[in-house]
Coordinates of all heavy atoms in Angstrom, one line a residue:
M160 N 52.2 255.2 135.1 CA 51.2 255.4 134.0 C 51.1 256.9 133.8 O 50.9 257.6 134.7 CB 49.9 254.7 134.3 CG 50.0 253.2 134.4 SD 48.4 252.4 134.9 CE 47.4 253.0 133.6
N161 N 51.2 257.2 132.5 CA 51.1 258.7 132.2 C 49.7 259.2 132.0 O 49.4 260.3 132.4 CB 51.9 258.9 130.9 CG 53.3 258.7 131.0 OD1 53.9 258.7 132.1 ND2 54.0 258.3 130.0
K162 N 48.8 258.4 131.5 CA 47.4 258.8 131.4 C 46.6 258.4 132.6 O 46.9 257.5 133.3 CB 46.8 258.3 130.1 CG 46.6 256.8 130.1 CD 45.9 256.3 128.8 CE 45.6 254.9 129.0 NZ 44.3 254.5 128.4
P163 N 45.5 259.2 132.8 CA 44.6 258.8 134.0 C 44.0 257.4 133.8 O 43.7 257.1 132.6 CB 43.6 259.9 134.0 CG 44.0 261.0 133.0 CD 45.0 260.4 132.2
V164 N 43.9 256.7 134.8 CA 43.2 255.4 134.7 C 41.7 255.5 134.8 O 41.2 256.5 135.4 CB 43.8 254.4 135.7 CG1 45.2 254.1 135.6 CG2 43.5 254.9 137.1
R165 N 41.0 254.6 134.2 CA 39.6 254.5 134.2 C 39.1 253.1 134.6 O 39.9 252.2 134.4 CB 39.0 255.0 132.9 CG 39.4 256.4 132.5 CD 38.8 256.7 131.2 NE 39.1 255.6 130.2 CZ 39.1 255.8 128.9 NH1 38.8 256.9 128.4 NH2 39.5 254.8 128.1
E166 N 37.9 253.0 135.1 CA 37.4 251.7 135.3 C 37.3 250.9 134.0 O 37.1 251.5 132.9 CB 36.0 251.8 135.9 CG 36.0 252.2 137.4 CD 34.7 252.2 138.1 OE1 33.7 251.8 137.4 OE2 34.6 252.6 139.2
L167 N 37.7 249.6 134.1 CA 37.7 248.7 133.0 C 39.0 248.8 132.2 O 39.2 248.0 131.2 CB 36.5 248.7 132.1 CG 35.1 248.5 132.8 CD1 34.0 248.6 131.9 CD2 35.1 247.3 133.6
D168 N 39.9 249.7 132.5 CA 41.2 249.7 131.8 C 41.9 248.4 132.2 O 41.8 247.9 133.3 CB 42.1 250.8 132.3 CG 41.8 252.2 131.7 OD1 40.9 252.2 130.8 OD2 42.4 253.2 132.1
T169 N 42.6 247.8 131.2 CA 43.5 246.6 131.4 C 44.8 247.1 131.8 O 45.4 248.0 131.2 CB 43.5 245.8 130.2 OG1 42.2 245.4 129.8 CG2 44.3 244.5 130.4
V170 N 45.4 246.5 132.9 CA 46.7 246.9 133.4 C 47.5 245.6 133.6 O 47.0 244.5 133.6 CB 46.6 247.6 134.8 CG1 45.9 249.0 134.5 CG2 45.8 246.8 135.8
V171 N 48.9 245.8 133.7 CA 49.8 244.8 133.9 C 50.5 245.0 135.3 O 51.0 246.1 135.5 CB 50.9 244.7 132.8 CG1 51.9 243.7 133.0 CG2 50.2 244.5 131.4
L172 N 50.6 244.0 136.1 CA 51.2 244.0 137.4 C 52.7 244.1 137.2 O 53.3 243.4 136.5 CB 50.8 242.8 138.2 CG 51.2 242.7 139.6 CD1 50.5 243.8 140.4 CD2 50.8 241.4 140.2
L173 N 53.3 245.0 138.0 CA 54.7 245.3 137.9 C 55.6 244.6 139.0 O 56.8 244.6 138.9 CB 55.0 246.8 138.0 CG 54.5 247.6 136.8 CD1 54.7 249.1 137.1 CD2 55.1 247.2 135.5
R174 N 54.9 244.0 140.0 CA 55.6 243.3 141.0 C 54.9 242.0 141.5 O 53.6 241.9 141.3 CB 55.8 244.2 142.2 CG 54.6 244.6 142.9 CD 54.8 245.6 144.0 NE 53.6 246.1 144.7 CZ 53.1 245.5 145.8 NH1 53.7 244.5 146.4 NH2 52.0 246.0 146.3
D175 N 55.6 241.1 142.0 CA 55.0 239.9 142.5 C 54.1 240.2 143.7 O 54.5 241.0 144.6 CB 56.0 238.8 142.9 CG 56.8 238.3 141.7 OD1 56.3 238.5 140.5 OD2 57.8 237.6 141.9
L176 N 53.0 239.5 143.8 CA 52.1 239.5 145.0 C 51.9 238.1 145.5 O 50.8 237.5 145.2 CB 50.8 240.2 144.8 CG 50.9 241.7 144.4 CD1 49.5 242.2 144.0 CD2 51.5 242.5 145.5
P177 N 52.9 237.4 146.1 CA 52.8 236.0 146.4 C 51.6 235.6 147.2 O 51.1 234.6 147.1 CB 54.1 235.7 147.0 CG 54.9 237.0 147.2 CD 54.2 238.0 146.5
D178 N 51.2 236.5 148.2 CA 50.1 236.2 149.0 C 48.8 236.0 148.2 O 47.9 235.4 148.7 CB 49.9 237.2 150.1 CG 49.6 238.6 149.5 OD1 50.3 239.0 148.6 OD2 48.7 239.3 150.1
A179 N 48.7 236.6 147.0 CA 47.6 236.6 146.2 C 47.8 235.6 145.0 O 46.9 235.4 144.2 CB 47.2 237.9 145.6
G180 N 49.0 235.0 144.9 CA 49.3 234.1 143.8 C 49.5 234.8 142.5 O 49.3 234.2 141.4
L181 N 49.9 236.1 142.6 CA 50.1 236.8 141.4 C 51.6 237.1 141.2 O 52.4 237.2 142.1 CB 49.4 238.2 141.5 CG 47.9 238.1 141.7 CD1 47.3 239.5 142.0 CD2 47.2 237.5 140.4
R182 N 52.0 237.2 139.9 CA 53.3 237.5 139.5 C 53.4 238.8 138.6 O 52.4 239.1 137.9 CB 54.0 236.4 138.7 CG 54.1 235.1 139.6 CD 54.8 234.0 138.8 NE 54.0 233.7 137.6 CZ 54.2 232.7 136.8 NH1 55.2 231.8 137.1 NH2 53.4 232.4 135.8
A183 N 54.5 239.4 138.7 CA 54.7 240.5 137.7 C 54.4 240.1 136.3 O 54.8 239.0 135.9 CB 56.2 241.1 137.8
G184 N 53.7 240.9 135.6 CA 53.3 240.5 134.2 C 51.9 240.0 134.1 O 51.3 240.0 133.0
D185 N 51.3 239.6 135.2 CA 49.9 239.2 135.2 C 49.0 240.4 134.8 O 49.3 241.6 135.2 CB 49.4 238.7 136.5 CG 50.0 237.3 136.8 OD1 50.4 236.6 135.9 OD2 49.9 236.9 138.0
M186 N 48.0 240.1 134.0 CA 47.1 241.2 133.6 C 45.8 241.2 134.4 O 45.3 240.1 134.7 CB 46.8 241.0 132.1 CG 48.0 241.2 131.2 SD 47.7 240.8 129.5 CE 46.7 242.2 129.0
G187 N 45.2 242.4 134.6 CA 44.0 242.5 135.3 C 43.2 243.7 134.8 O 43.7 244.5 133.9
A188 N 42.0 243.9 135.3 CA 41.2 245.0 134.9 C 40.8 245.9 136.2 O 40.5 245.3 137.2 CB 39.9 244.5 134.3
I189 N 40.9 247.2 136.0 CA 40.5 248.1 137.1 C 38.9 248.0 137.2 O 38.2 248.2 136.2 CB 40.9 249.5 136.8 CG1 42.5 249.5 136.8 CG2 40.3 250.5 137.8 CD1 43.1 250.9 136.4
V190 N 38.5 247.6 138.4 CA 37.0 247.5 138.5 C 36.4 248.6 139.4 O 35.2 248.7 139.5 CB 36.7 246.1 139.1 CG1 37.0 245.0 138.0 CG2 37.3 245.8 140.4
H191 N 37.3 249.3 140.1 CA 36.8 250.4 141.0 C 37.9 251.4 141.3 O 39.0 251.0 141.6 CB 36.2 249.9 142.3 CG 35.7 250.9 143.2 ND1 34.5 251.6 143.0 CD2 36.2 251.5 144.3 CE1 34.3 252.5 143.9 NE2 35.3 252.5 144.7
L192 N 37.6 252.7 141.2 CA 38.6 253.7 141.5 C 38.3 254.3 142.9 O 37.2 254.7 143.1 CB 38.5 254.9 140.5 CG 38.9 254.6 139.0 CD1 38.6 255.7 138.1 CD2 40.3 254.2 138.9
H193 N 39.3 254.2 143.8 CA 39.1 254.9 145.1 C 39.6 256.3 145.0 O 39.0 257.2 145.6 CB 40.0 254.1 146.1 CG 39.5 252.8 146.4 ND1 38.4 252.5 147.2 CD2 40.1 251.5 146.1 CE1 38.3 251.2 147.3 NE2 39.2 250.6 146.6
S194 N 40.6 256.5 144.1 CA 41.1 257.9 143.8 C 41.9 257.7 142.5 O 42.0 256.6 142.0 CB 42.1 258.3 145.0 OG 43.3 257.6 144.9
P195 N 42.4 258.8 142.0 CA 43.2 258.7 140.7 C 44.4 257.8 140.8 O 44.8 257.2 139.8 CB 43.6 260.1 140.4 CG 42.6 261.0 141.1 CD 42.2 260.2 142.4
D196 N 44.9 257.6 142.0 CA 46.1 256.8 142.2 C 45.9 255.5 143.0 O 46.9 254.7 143.2 CB 47.2 257.6 143.0 CG 47.6 258.8 142.2 OD1 47.6 258.8 141.0 OD2 48.0 259.8 142.8
V197 N 44.7 255.2 143.4 CA 44.4 253.9 144.2 C 43.1 253.3 143.6 O 42.1 254.0 143.5 CB 44.3 254.2 145.7 CG1 43.9 252.9 146.4 CG2 45.5 254.8 146.2
F198 N 43.2 252.0 143.3 CA 42.0 251.4 142.7 C 42.0 249.9 143.0 O 43.0 249.3 143.4 CB 42.1 251.6 141.2 CG 43.4 251.7 140.6 CD1 44.2 250.6 140.3 CD2 44.0 252.9 140.4 CE1 45.5 250.7 139.8 CE2 45.3 253.0 139.8 CZ 46.0 251.9 139.5
E199 N 40.9 249.2 142.7 CA 40.7 247.8 142.8 C 41.0 247.2 141.4 O 40.5 247.7 140.4 CB 39.3 247.4 143.2 CG 38.9 247.9 144.6 CD 39.6 247.2 145.7 OE1 39.9 246.0 145.6 OE2 40.0 247.9 146.7
V200 N 41.8 246.2 141.4 CA 42.1 245.4 140.2 C 41.7 244.0 140.4 O 42.1 243.3 141.3 CB 43.6 245.5 139.8 CG1 43.9 244.8 138.5 CG2 44.1 247.0 139.7
E201 N 41.0 243.5 139.4 CA 40.5 242.1 139.4 C 41.4 241.3 138.4 O 41.6 241.7 137.3 CB 39.1 242.0 139.0 CG 38.6 240.5 139.0 CD 37.1 240.4 138.6 OE1 36.6 241.3 137.9 OE2 36.5 239.5 139.0
F202 N 41.9 240.2 138.9 CA 42.7 239.3 138.1 C 41.9 238.0 137.9 O 41.4 237.5 138.9 CB 44.1 239.0 138.8 CG 44.9 240.2 138.9 CD1 44.8 241.0 140.1 CD2 45.9 240.5 138.0 CE1 45.6 242.1 140.2 CE2 46.7 241.7 138.1 CZ 46.5 242.5 139.2
V203 N 41.7 237.6 136.7 CA 40.9 236.4 136.4 C 41.7 235.3 135.7 O 42.6 235.6 135.0 CB 39.7 236.8 135.6 CG1 38.8 237.7 136.3 CG2 40.0 237.3 134.2
A204 N 41.3 234.1 135.9 CA 41.8 232.9 135.2 C 41.2 232.9 133.8 O 40.3 233.6 133.5 CB 41.5 231.6 136.0
R205 N 41.8 232.1 133.0 CA 41.3 232.0 131.6 C 39.9 231.5 131.6 O 39.1 231.8 130.6 CB 42.2 231.1 130.8 CG 43.5 231.7 130.5 CD 44.4 230.9 129.5 NE 45.6 231.6 129.2 CZ 46.8 231.2 129.4 NH1 47.0 230.1 130.1 NH2 47.8 232.0 129.1
S206 N 39.5 230.8 132.6 CA 38.1 230.3 132.7 C 37.1 231.4 133.0 O 35.9 231.2 132.9 CB 38.0 229.2 133.7 OG 38.3 229.7 135.0
G207 N 37.6 232.5 133.5 CA 36.8 233.7 133.8 C 36.5 233.8 135.3 O 36.0 234.8 135.7
H208 N 37.0 232.9 136.2 CA 36.7 233.0 137.6 C 37.8 234.0 138.2 O 38.9 234.0 137.7 CB 36.7 231.7 138.3 CG 38.0 231.1 138.6 ND1 38.6 230.2 137.8 CD2 38.8 231.2 139.7 CE1 39.8 229.8 138.3 NE2 39.9 230.4 139.5
T209 N 37.4 234.7 139.2 CA 38.4 235.6 139.9 C 39.4 234.9 140.6 O 39.1 234.0 141.5 CB 37.6 236.6 140.8 OG1 36.6 237.3 140.0 CG2 38.5 237.5 141.5
V210 N 40.7 235.2 140.3 CA 41.8 234.7 141.1 C 42.1 235.6 142.2 O 42.4 235.1 143.3 CB 43.1 234.6 140.1 CG1 44.3 234.2 140.9 CG2 42.8 233.6 139.0
A211 N 42.1 236.9 142.0 CA 42.4 237.8 143.1 C 41.8 239.2 142.8 O 41.6 239.6 141.6 CB 43.9 238.0 143.3
L212 N 41.4 239.9 143.9 CA 40.9 241.2 143.8 C 41.7 242.0 144.8 O 41.7 241.7 146.0 CB 39.4 241.3 144.1 CG 38.8 242.7 144.1 CD1 38.7 243.2 142.6 CD2 37.3 242.6 144.6
R213 N 42.5 243.0 144.3 CA 43.5 243.6 145.1 C 43.4 245.2 145.0 O 43.2 245.7 143.9 CB 44.9 243.2 144.8 CG 45.3 241.8 145.3 CD 45.3 241.8 146.8 NE 45.6 240.5 147.3 CZ 44.7 239.6 147.7 NH1 43.5 239.8 147.6 NH2 45.1 238.4 148.1
T214 N 43.6 245.9 146.1 CA 43.7 247.3 146.1 C 45.2 247.6 145.7 O 46.1 247.2 146.5 CB 43.3 247.9 147.4 OG1 42.0 247.5 147.7 CG2 43.4 249.5 147.4
L215 N 45.4 248.3 144.7 CA 46.7 248.7 144.2 C 46.9 250.1 144.0 O 45.9 250.9 143.8 CB 47.0 247.9 142.9 CG 47.0 246.4 143.0 CD1 47.1 245.7 141.6 CD2 48.0 245.8 143.9
S216 N 48.1 250.6 143.9 CA 48.4 252.0 143.6 C 48.9 252.1 142.1 O 49.3 251.1 141.5 CB 49.4 252.6 144.6 OG 50.7 252.0 144.4
I217 N 49.0 253.3 141.7 CA 49.5 253.6 140.3 C 50.9 253.1 140.1 O 51.2 252.7 139.0 CB 49.3 255.1 140.0 CG1 49.4 255.4 138.6 CG2 50.4 255.9 140.8 CD1 48.1 255.2 137.9
S218 N 51.7 253.0 141.2 CA 53.1 252.5 141.0 C 53.2 251.0 140.9 O 54.2 250.4 140.6 CB 53.9 253.0 142.2 OG 53.4 252.4 143.4
D219 N 52.0 250.3 141.1 CA 52.0 248.8 141.1 C 51.8 248.2 139.7 O 51.9 247.1 139.4 CB 51.0 248.2 142.0 CG 51.3 248.5 143.5 OD1 52.5 248.4 143.9 OD2 50.3 248.8 144.2
V220 N 51.3 249.1 138.8 CA 50.8 248.6 137.5 C 51.2 249.6 136.4 O 51.7 250.7 136.6 CB 49.3 248.5 137.4 CG1 48.8 247.4 138.4 CG2 48.6 249.8 137.7
R221 N 51.1 249.1 135.2 CA 51.2 249.9 134.0 C 50.1 249.6 133.0 O 49.5 248.5 133.1 CB 52.6 249.7 133.3 CG 52.8 248.3 132.7 CD 54.0 248.3 131.8 NE 54.3 247.0 131.3 CZ 53.6 246.3 130.3 NH1 52.6 246.9 129.7 NH2 54.0 245.1 130.0
A222 N 49.8 250.5 132.1 CA 48.8 250.2 131.1 C 49.2 249.0 130.2 O 50.4 248.9 129.9 CB 48.6 251.5 130.3
A223 N 48.2 248.2 129.9 CA 48.5 247.1 129.0 C 48.7 247.6 127.6 O 48.2 248.7 127.2 CB 47.3 246.1 128.9
R224 N 49.6 246.9 126.8 CA 50.0 247.3 125.5 C 49.6 246.1 124.5 O 49.4 245.0 125.0 CB 51.5 247.6 125.4 CG 51.9 248.7 126.3 CD 53.4 249.0 126.1 NE 54.2 248.0 126.5 CZ 55.1 248.1 127.6 NH1 55.1 249.2 128.3 NH2 55.8 247.0 127.9
D225 N 49.5 246.4 123.3 CA 49.2 245.4 122.3 C 50.1 244.2 122.3 O 49.6 243.1 122.1 CB 49.2 246.0 120.9 CG 48.0 246.9 120.6 OD1 47.0 246.9 121.4 OD2 48.1 247.7 119.6
E226 N 51.3 244.4 122.7 CA 52.2 243.2 122.7 C 52.2 242.4 124.0 O 52.9 241.4 124.1 CB 53.7 243.7 122.4 CG 54.2 244.7 123.5 CD 54.0 246.1 123.1 OE1 53.2 246.4 122.2 OE2 54.6 247.0 123.8
D227 N 51.4 242.8 124.9 CA 51.2 242.0 126.2 C 50.3 240.8 125.9 O 49.4 240.8 125.1 CB 50.5 242.9 127.3 CG 51.5 244.0 127.8 OD1 52.7 243.7 128.0 OD2 51.0 245.1 128.0
F228 N 50.7 239.7 126.6 CA 49.9 238.5 126.5 C 49.6 238.0 127.9 O 50.4 238.3 128.8 CB 50.7 237.4 125.8 CG 50.9 237.7 124.3 CD1 52.1 238.3 123.9 CD2 50.0 237.3 123.4 CE1 52.3 238.5 122.5 CE2 50.2 237.6 122.0 CZ 51.3 238.2 121.6
A229 N 48.6 237.2 128.0 CA 48.3 236.6 129.3 C 49.5 235.7 129.6 O 50.0 235.0 128.7 CB 47.0 235.8 129.3
T230 N 49.9 235.6 130.9 CA 51.0 234.8 131.3 C 50.6 233.3 131.2 O 49.4 233.0 131.3 CB 51.5 235.1 132.7 OG1 50.4 235.0 133.6 CG2 52.1 236.5 132.8
P231 N 51.5 232.4 130.9 CA 51.2 231.0 130.9 C 50.7 230.5 132.2 O 50.9 231.1 133.2 CB 52.5 230.3 130.5 CG 53.6 231.3 130.7 CD 52.9 232.7 130.8
P232 N 49.9 229.4 132.1 CA 49.3 228.9 133.4 C 50.4 228.4 134.3 O 51.5 228.0 133.9 CB 48.5 227.7 133.0 CG 48.6 227.6 131.5 CD 49.5 228.7 131.0
R233 N 50.2 228.6 135.6 CA 51.1 228.1 136.6 C 51.1 226.6 136.8 O 50.0 226.0 136.7 CB 50.8 228.8 137.9 CG 51.1 230.3 137.9 CD 50.5 231.0 139.1 NE 50.8 232.4 139.1 CZ 50.3 233.3 138.3 NH1 49.4 233.0 137.4 NH2 50.6 234.6 138.5
R234 N 52.2 226.0 137.0 CA 52.3 224.6 137.2 C 52.7 224.3 138.6 O 53.6 225.0 139.1 CB 53.3 224.0 136.2 CG 53.0 224.3 134.8 CD 52.7 223.1 134.0 NE 52.7 223.3 132.6 CZ 51.5 223.5 131.9 NH1 50.4 223.5 132.5 NH2 51.5 223.7 130.6
G235 N 52.1 223.3 139.2 CA 52.3 222.7 140.5 C 53.2 223.5 141.4 O 53.6 223.6 142.4

């Protein structure tokens, strides 16, 4: 990411995190900054409940763009 991240920025995951049930392309929101390069990202279901809250680094995500969409729901 080229610009500094801020709390509540929407980001897109760049790699799978199978232990959290997350896949590359999932969108989340930065909810806490530990440092400019390390932060907590919350991933939520369409219903609004939290799916995962993970500490990630700047290399794990990119800024969301207008053409990004929420990934389709996972099936079985």
Side-chain angles (χ1 to χ4, degrees):
M160 293 179 55
N161 294 335
K162 67 176 185 142
V164 297
R165 298 180 308 203
E166 286 186 3
L167 304 181
D168 280 355
T169 303
V170 294
V171 176
L172 188 62
L173 294 176
R174 63 184 181 96
D175 292 345
L176 297 175
D178 63 313
L181 299 171
R182 295 183 299 191
D185 287 344
M186 296 175 70
I189 295 174
V190 295
H191 180 74
L192 296 173
H193 293 288
S194 72
D196 295 333
V197 178
F198 33 81
E199 297 292 320
V200 179
E201 182 180 26
F202 297 88
V203 298
R205 288 187 173 117
S206 65
H208 80 272
T209 299
V210 172
L212 181 65
R213 289 292 181 263
T214 303
L215 300 173
S216 70
I217 198 81
S218 63
D219 294 322
V220 297
R221 66 167 173 79
R224 300 184 292 248
D225 287 341
E226 60 270 14
D227 290 318
F228 292 94
T230 56
R233 291 166 176 75
R234 304 242 190 263

